[in-house]
Amino acid sequence: MQNAQHLNHSGGKMMPFTWMFALTGALQGWALWGLWKLHLAKAWPATDPVLSTGLLYVALALPPLVYSTQDVEDLSPRLRRLALLCFGVLFAALGAATAWSASEDAREMGVRFHDTLVTVVLGFVLLGLLCGFDIKARRWRYERLFEYAWRNGILLVTAAFMTAIFWVVLWAGAALMSLIGVKFVTGLIRQSLFAFTVTSLVVAASAGLGLVRADMTATIRRYALSIAAWLLPLVLFFAVLWAVALPFTGLEPLFKTRYAATLMLGFMALAVLFANCAYQDGEHEAYPQGLARSLQGAWLALLVVVGVAWWALVLRVAQHGWSEDRLWAALVATLAAVYALGYALSWLRRERWMATMGVTNIVAALLLCMGLLVYVAPPTHVRKLAVAAHLAHVQQQKVGADGKTMEPDWHYLRWESGRYGREALQALAAGQGVPAGQGWERKAGQMLAETNRYNPQPHKQMNATELEQRFRVHPQGRSLPESFVQYLRGDSSGDLRHCLQNAAACPVWLGDLNGDAQDELLVFSNGWNGAIFVQTGRTSEGWRRAGSFSMPGAKGRFEAAELDRARVLPPQWQDLEVQGNRLRVQVLP
């Protein structure tokens, strides 16, 4: 696009699209302000979370789409209006589906950040695919997709940055005026109507200015990407080094980390990012011929990285079952496999560097959109799949010689899985699909009765046996003191509450730490961190929380089984008394 498209050089005035941007920004501000006031007044449609969330998504998303579809090649006004209408319907549906899936009463939980992030990613990728589609040829042109995707990304980020700077300046000016007793500016910018309207107008103005200076933005983008491209050889060097060393080191050290798949997929994401920085629109060579050919060969090492990442994910699923996070990881791993295989095929095509990258990126974008749509659609929502998989897994797994099944993660079902977890709890409370003799019906009913996710008191409803099951006592052979079980009924400290509301039992070490012939109790509520509880008297009638412990420099992952071999040791350094104050020396490991 030429700057002449955006400026009227004869009169020095802005073209009409800027006035359209201003009107769009004003309408967005007024719409958001109206939704905000209805929310505060608890008036319709704010009383209907599904409808109000759908309207909110449309009000937030449609104006940026108006700015981003300006001056798109071959996109006629009629097609643009049709595209904006389709996007509006899509975002309304996404907002409604998000609120509906959140809970039977969406106000209990609200819209999670993850849901909003999915919507933003889906909208941005679909926008890029729209702008990159050649309507006359009926195919995607990668160079066009690249150009508009980066243009729109920079445009929106710049608009957000400029809006933040505008508000910093506005508040600084208001503070300066207040120093001389002029409070009018401060009072004005605190008005919700002013805030919503002006913010939307600044976003619109920033987007318009970014389009006017599109050529300059493109030049800066090419410069930045060319510099970042030289990080690709370093990334691929480590990939090759890792693949060569793997047969000698084996996979055991990798799988011991418990986050192998996450780390390798993150590394793969870096490789894809820097490869695209180098390839850009595919119209130029980023490296000398010899280095370019070597990098194509080095990319084959990423096939090994993705393969091992999939293996780690499969092992994790086999051990712990599917969860919401692992379902998302499966989608990411699938995309990583598409990128790795698609880019590696460039080795077979020698006409230009990474010849298959453009096609691979388009296929990956389409696959990402389909995956996100599947994961947000109510019939196949990711939380619905995760809840079903979790319940199936805990019913199939056995623990201990008594053959008792694992318990579901009650907190997750009640508070973190939305409508689907609540429906699962209702089914369990009704006795559907519960193992005999486990008491799941009563526990499900107790969780449904909870009304505060941040301050639950499950200990008020548990019997003594259930309370003891929340703690795994070490060394083996010891049991939780009866007096401590009674103490649990009234205690509300964060450490114990964390143990009581989670499915996994907290490790506990029981023994005499201070030589007073009475046992102290260390509750490991978070890995190497936790709290220490001491008895209040010689009669062992009560307990109190005496403090906490942590080990910032601990080596290795915390293993509860090692508490059976724990030893009580005297301090390496004695305390120093100065003016009646006791100085405790702590030496770093």
Side-chain angles (χ1 to χ4, degrees):
M1 283 81 65
Q2 301 296 321
N3 284 347
Q5 291 179 288
H6 306 293
L7 291 177
N8 184 343
H9 293 287
S10 61
K13 297 180 181 180
M14 293 186 179
M15 292 291 285
F17 83 81
T18 56
W19 297 109
M20 182 188 70
F21 279 20
L23 178 60
T24 302
L27 290 175
Q28 181 188 33
W30 297 334
L32 292 174
W33 175 76
L35 291 173
W36 171 249
K37 297 299 287 186
L38 290 171
H39 171 75
L40 294 179
K42 294 181 172 55
W44 188 88
T47 53
D48 184 346
V50 173
L51 178 59
S52 61
T53 306
L55 293 174
L56 177 63
Y57 271 42
V58 173
L60 288 172
L62 208 52
L65 290 168
V66 172
Y67 312 146
S68 300
T69 53
Q70 180 70 33
D71 292 336
V72 174
E73 185 179 355
D74 293 337
L75 189 63
S76 65
R78 177 175 171 272
L79 287 176
R80 186 187 183 195
R81 288 193 294 269
L82 179 61
L84 291 174
L85 176 63
C86 293
F87 270 109
V89 173
L90 173 64
F91 277 96
L94 288 173
T98 295
W100 186 87
S101 300
S103 178
E104 290 186 356
D105 180 1
R107 288 166 294 183
E108 291 183 4
M109 182 175 178
V111 177
R112 301 193 312 177
F113 171 75
H114 303 76
D115 301 321
T116 305
L117 179 62
V118 168
T119 303
V120 170
V121 172
L122 179 60
F124 184 78
V125 176
L126 285 175
L127 175 64
L129 290 171
L130 168 68
C131 296
F133 190 74
D134 189 334
I135 299 175
K136 295 180 181 178
R138 296 184 180 179
R139 66 179 182 87
W140 276 283
R141 286 172 46 193
Y142 181 72
E143 63 277 7
R144 181 189 293 185
L145 190 153
F146 167 85
E147 185 71 29
Y148 286 116
W150 276 97
R151 185 202 75 167
N152 292 336
I154 295 174
L155 193 71
L156 297 175
V157 170
T158 302
F161 178 76
M162 291 302 297
T163 304
I165 294 296
F166 170 82
W167 274 102
V168 169
V169 173
L170 200 60
W171 275 106
L176 184 65
M177 296 300 294
S178 66
L179 292 177
I180 57 175
V182 179
K183 306 291 186 180
F184 169 75
V185 179
T186 302
L188 177 63
I189 64 178
R190 285 180 174 174
Q191 296 295 318
S192 57
L193 178 59
F194 176 87
F196 281 111
T197 305
V198 170
T199 299
S200 300
L201 286 173
V202 173
V203 171
S206 301
L209 183 61
L211 289 172
V212 168
R213 304 299 181 188
D215 290 348
M216 182 179 67
T217 302
T219 301
I220 296 173
R221 181 203 68 211
R222 286 192 293 269
Y223 175 71
L225 294 184
S226 298
I227 293 177
W230 286 98
L231 292 173
L232 179 63
L234 181 62
V235 170
L236 293 182
F237 169 77
F238 280 111
V240 172
L241 192 63
W242 183 86
V244 171
L246 189 61
F248 301 98
T249 62
L251 293 173
E252 185 177 355
L254 182 69
F255 292 157
K256 278 185 176 180
T257 62
R258 308 288 181 90
Y259 51 83
T262 302
L263 184 60
M264 286 184 288
L265 292 176
F267 185 86
M268 180 66 190
L270 282 178
V272 171
L273 171 64
F274 292 131
N276 280 274
C277 289
Y279 185 77
Q280 298 190 31
D281 57 3
E283 297 297 322
H284 68 286
E285 295 291 338
Y287 306 105
Q289 185 174 1
L291 178 59
R293 188 63 179 165
S294 299
L295 293 178
Q296 281 186 293
W299 191 269
L300 298 174
L302 271 301
L303 291 172
V304 181
V305 173
V306 173
V308 175
W310 261 109
W311 191 0
L313 179 60
V314 169
L315 291 177
R316 196 70 174 165
V317 170
Q319 183 179 6
H320 299 286
W322 286 102
S323 66
E324 193 174 333
D325 290 342
R326 294 183 194 108
L327 286 169
W328 283 114
L331 177 60
V332 174
T334 301
L335 292 172
V338 170
Y339 281 118
L341 182 59
Y343 288 6
L345 290 176
S346 296
W347 177 259
L348 304 177
R349 299 181 59 179
R350 298 172 178 264
E351 63 270 18
R352 59 190 176 91
W353 185 72
M354 299 299 287
T356 61
M357 181 176 288
V359 175
T360 301
N361 287 348
I362 293 174
V363 171
L366 292 171
L367 181 61
L368 174 61
C369 291
M370 289 187 291
L372 293 179
L373 286 173
V374 168
Y375 274 6
V376 299
T380 55
H381 197 282
V382 64
R383 290 202 286 273
K384 182 178 182 179
L385 300 176
V387 167
H390 174 66
L391 291 177
H393 179 73
V394 297
Q395 292 181 31
Q396 294 171 359
Q397 298 298 312
K398 303 291 181 181
V399 293
D402 56 2
K404 293 177 63 177
T405 59
M406 296 172 57
E407 285 197 12
D409 188 338
W410 302 108
H411 184 77
Y412 168 75
L413 293 177
R414 178 63 180 90
W415 298 112
E416 298 179 9
S417 53
R419 167 185 292 268
Y420 309 105
R422 188 176 180 87
E423 290 176 349
L425 286 174
Q426 291 171 344
L428 292 175
Q432 301 176 16
V434 298
Q438 300 298 320
W440 286 14
E441 303 95 323
R442 182 169 58 84
K443 293 176 183 178
Q446 292 173 353
M447 290 305 300
L448 287 170
E450 292 288 346
T451 58
N452 190 333
R453 67 177 301 194
Y454 298 106
N455 189 29
Q457 293 183 325
H459 53 290
K460 299 294 186 182
Q461 303 166 343
M462 294 180 181
N463 57 38
T465 302
E466 291 172 333
L467 288 170
E468 289 185 56
Q469 291 174 348
R470 296 298 182 182
F471 300 90
R472 189 169 61 254
V473 182
H474 300 272
Q476 287 187 357
R478 302 297 302 271
S479 60
L480 210 62
E482 183 179 350
S483 57
F484 190 77
V485 175
Q486 298 302 318
Y487 170 72
L488 289 172
R489 295 188 179 280
D491 181 78
S492 59
S493 67
D495 301 280
L496 295 182
R497 188 164 60 246
H498 172 81
C499 298
L500 291 167
Q501 72 185 32
N502 284 286
C506 285
V508 169
W509 184 87
L510 187 63
D512 185 7
L513 276 178
N514 57 3
D516 63 352
Q518 291 193 101
D519 286 336
E520 284 74 48
L521 197 145
L522 274 65
V523 178
F524 291 77
S525 58
N526 184 21
W528 290 101
N529 305 320
I532 179 171
F533 296 84
V534 300
Q535 301 179 34
T536 57
R538 305 288 297 184
T539 58
S540 302
E541 292 179 352
W543 293 75
R544 66 178 178 87
R545 188 181 187 278
S548 60
F549 60 87
S550 63
M551 180 57 68
K555 297 179 180 179
R557 185 180 179 87
F558 174 74
E559 299 290 348
E562 294 297 322
L563 290 176
D564 291 327
R565 293 184 287 274
R567 295 181 298 155
V568 178
L569 300 175
Q572 292 180 325
W573 298 78
Q574 301 295 325
D575 294 344
L576 181 68
E577 184 178 2
V578 180
Q579 297 181 357
N581 299 310
R582 196 181 187 96
L583 302 182
R584 181 162 299 171
V585 180
Q586 294 182 336
V587 181
L588 295 176

